[in-house]
């Protein structure tokens, strides 16, 4: 039986010692010797597809309904709420692929019905050398891109395919990408793409799998991270991207990643690699 993690374990989960965190626009790959998260009575879900793989011992997930899964590998949809992930000394791999990415579009149909799909860990056997190298923090952007393509292929049997959106949704995504967060609203985007706000709200949610406001907020976090490099102040970048203040940015960042942006910027607890 899985017991709730201790306060000390939860604190460590927020910044797992020895972890490596690779990130790129709308996705990240985290590798950690151990990873423990306990959300208690506040289970979370993220607008992304997550692949979780243990290279050693199995890990356990507890879901919001109290059910549990013990496995070496699983694919989890954006709709699943989980309370706990307990992966002790098992070399845990988390590949997170946000909505609107080719990886998300390719993998989402595989978990459309059940939400969580256990996977055969042997499917990733040929990728073990790349994962081991990734744990060292020495992969470059091109190698990480290749690795995530191969992971998707190992799961789905095909390489990532770009989403096939309605042209008006494509246009809306472009408006969000080009503008600062504070200048983006459902009404202004709807006007730009010649739709009513209600029609855009429905169409965007249906095709992208996220609300316009949530997508715009998470997209702004990714824009800040993409512009950030060592030595820069995330505070200044947050304002340039269009967050009201640093607190607003910090809340959105923590909602996405589970830890404060200051930890990522400090580099004290884990290695951060931009791809």
């Amino acid at each position: 039986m899985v017991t709730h993690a201790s306060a000390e374990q939860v604190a460590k989960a927020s910044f797992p010692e020895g972890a490596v965190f690779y990130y790129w626009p709308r996705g990240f790959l985290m590798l950690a010797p151990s990873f423990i998260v306990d959300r208690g009575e506040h289970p979370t879900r993220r607008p992304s597809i997550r692949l979780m793989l243990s290279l050693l011992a199995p890990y356990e997930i507890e879901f919001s309904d109290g059910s549990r899964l013990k496995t070496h590998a699983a694919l989890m949809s954006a709709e699943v709420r989980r309370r706990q992930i307990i992966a002790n000394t098992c070399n845990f791999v988390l590949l997170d692929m946000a909505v609107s990415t080719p990886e998300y579009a390719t993998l989402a149909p595989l978990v459309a019905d059940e939400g969580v799909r256990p996977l055969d860990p042997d499917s990733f056997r040929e990728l073990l050398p790349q994962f081991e190298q990734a744990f060292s923090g020495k992969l470059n952007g091109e190698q990480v891109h290749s690795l995530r393509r191969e992971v998707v292929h190992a799961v789905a049997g095909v390489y990532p395919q770009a989403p096939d959106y309605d042209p008006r949704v494509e246009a809306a995504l472009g408006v969000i990408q080009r503008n600062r967060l504070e200048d983006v609203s459902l009404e202004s985007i709807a006007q730009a793409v010649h739709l009513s706000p209600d029609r855009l709200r429905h169409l965007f949610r249906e095709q992208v799998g996220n609300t316009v406001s949530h997508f715009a907020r998470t997209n702004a976090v990714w824009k800040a991270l993409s512009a950030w490099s060592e030595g820069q102040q995330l505070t200044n970048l947050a304002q340039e991207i269009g967050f009201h203040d640093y607190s607003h940015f910090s809340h959105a960042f923590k909602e996405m990643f589970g830890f404060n942006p200051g930890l990522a910027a400090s580099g004290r607890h884990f290695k951060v690699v931009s791809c």
Side-chain angles (χ1 to χ4, degrees):
M1 179 179 293
V2 179
T3 58
H4 284 290
S6 68
E8 181 182 3
Q9 287 175 319
V10 174
K12 289 182 179 179
S14 298
F15 39 89
E17 298 287 348
V20 182
F21 185 90
Y22 298 89
Y23 72 92
W24 54 90
R26 307 198 62 74
F28 67 84
L29 171 66
M30 188 198 74
L31 307 99
S34 296
F35 185 67
I36 300 172
V37 171
D38 188 347
R39 300 298 183 186
E41 298 307 313
H42 303 282
T44 61
R45 65 177 180 176
R46 286 176 38 74
S48 62
I49 293 286
R50 283 147 291 165
L51 184 137
M52 294 175 284
L53 172 67
S54 168
L55 304 187
L56 300 175
Y59 61 90
E60 295 178 278
I61 308 171
E62 180 186 357
F63 303 100
S64 60
D65 63 359
S67 62
R68 296 182 173 97
L69 173 67
K70 185 174 183 178
T71 183
H72 276 87
L75 190 67
M76 184 182 296
S77 81
E79 300 304 315
V80 174
R81 292 184 180 272
R82 80 284 189 286
R83 285 195 178 117
Q84 288 187 325
I85 298 176
I86 300 180
N88 275 320
T89 59
C90 66
N91 282 5
F92 185 72
V93 177
L94 170 62
L95 178 58
D96 188 284
M97 299 154 283
V99 296
S100 83
T101 62
E103 294 85 0
Y104 183 99
T106 304
L107 294 174
L110 301 182
V111 285
D113 295 327
E114 62 268 36
V116 179
R117 180 171 180 165
L119 302 171
D120 182 354
D122 285 342
S123 302
F124 308 97
R125 187 175 299 279
E126 294 184 2
L127 300 178
L128 289 180
Q130 289 99 306
F131 283 125
E132 291 171 359
Q133 189 176 4
F135 263 99
S136 71
K138 296 180 180 178
L139 293 187
N140 59 35
E142 183 177 345
Q143 290 170 319
V144 172
H145 174 71
S146 175
L147 176 57
R148 69 179 190 263
R149 279 176 50 81
E150 293 299 335
V151 167
V152 171
H153 186 267
V155 175
V158 296
Y159 289 104
Q161 305 291 318
D164 184 19
Y165 291 141
D166 182 290
R168 295 164 296 182
V169 172
E170 289 278 8
L173 291 168
V175 172
I176 293 171
Q177 183 63 35
R178 289 191 300 271
N179 289 277
R180 301 172 74 247
L181 178 60
E182 65 180 4
D183 298 328
V184 169
S185 68
L186 177 66
E187 291 73 17
S188 65
I189 300 170
Q191 184 177 12
V193 301
H194 308 294
L195 287 173
S196 71
D198 284 345
R199 179 55 180 155
L200 174 61
R201 180 188 294 111
H202 174 77
L203 191 61
F204 195 94
R205 175 67 172 150
E206 179 183 60
Q207 296 203 355
V208 180
N210 207 191
T211 64
V212 170
S213 60
H214 196 190
F215 181 89
R217 187 167 65 252
T218 58
N219 181 72
V221 173
W222 284 118
K223 286 168 74 173
L225 275 176
S226 297
W228 176 73
S229 61
E230 190 172 354
Q232 283 186 294
Q233 293 293 321
L234 275 171
T235 306
N236 297 335
L237 280 174
Q239 293 174 344
E240 290 175 14
I241 297 301
F243 283 95
H244 299 310
D245 51 37
Y246 186 71
S247 177
H248 184 203
F249 170 72
S250 181
H251 177 78
F253 186 101
K254 190 171 183 179
E255 182 183 50
M256 289 174 61
F257 301 115
F259 53 86
N260 292 318
L263 290 173
S266 71
R268 290 194 304 269
H269 301 286
F270 50 82
K271 184 173 184 177
V272 178
V273 182
S274 173
C275 301

